[in-house]
Structures are given as C-alpha cells and as structure tokens.
Amino acid sequence: MPEHTSKDTVGPVRNPSLDTDPMAPAIEDRLDEIRSLLERMLALAEISADDGTADPERQALQQELERLRRQIDLLAEQM
C-alpha cells in the first residue's frame, strides 16, 4: 500500500488566480464566510428534516435559512 503524504490531505480549496489579485484576501474571506453559512444551512436543514421537529420550529428554521441565503447573496454581490 502506498504511503500517504501531506499533499494527500484535503484542505481549503484555493483558486490560484486569486494569488495575483490584490483583492484576493477579501475575496477569500468572503468565500470562507459563505462556506460557513452553507454549513450552518445544512445543519438547520438536517434539524428541520428530523421527524421530531414540530411545524412551528420548522417555520422558524425556514426563516433562518432565508436570512442566511440573503446574507450569502449580499456577500456574493460584494465579490
């Protein structure tokens, strides 16, 4: 079996074209924030899909998902 090296590990995906762009740090920060918001949205969707979640809770979760989507849209517009 081949040995695994450090380059075999999965880490943040970087866009090489951003390395020459002076706006790259700001763009990377926004992408990281979007990634975090998407992870939060996934967690909320999983909670909402649970059979034990009541309808009022689902409505609140849906409102939060919509708020997070708007936040992602705002971040995307800034890029």
Side-chain angles (χ1 to χ4, degrees):
M1 218 166 126
E3 275 188 48
H4 292 286
T5 63
S6 62
K7 66 180 183 179
D8 294 331
T9 61
V10 176
V13 178
R14 288 197 43 85
N15 184 342
S17 67
L18 294 177
D19 292 337
T20 59
D21 186 345
M23 295 296 295
I27 292 171
E28 286 290 331
D29 288 345
R30 287 187 182 100
L31 289 173
D32 287 341
E33 191 170 348
I34 289 171
R35 188 175 299 113
S36 175
L37 291 168
L38 289 170
E39 290 171 358
R40 175 71 178 141
M41 290 174 80
L42 177 60
L44 292 174
E46 289 172 345
I47 293 168
S48 181
D50 187 287
D51 290 338
T53 304
D55 286 340
E57 290 174 279
R58 281 195 176 98
Q59 291 172 353
L61 291 166
Q62 183 61 39
Q63 289 175 348
E64 179 66 5
L65 285 167
E66 290 170 8
R67 187 190 69 76
L68 294 171
R69 183 193 52 80
R70 286 191 303 271
Q71 193 171 348
I72 289 172
D73 288 344
L74 289 173
L75 288 166
E77 288 172 9
Q78 297 171 1
M79 294 173 49

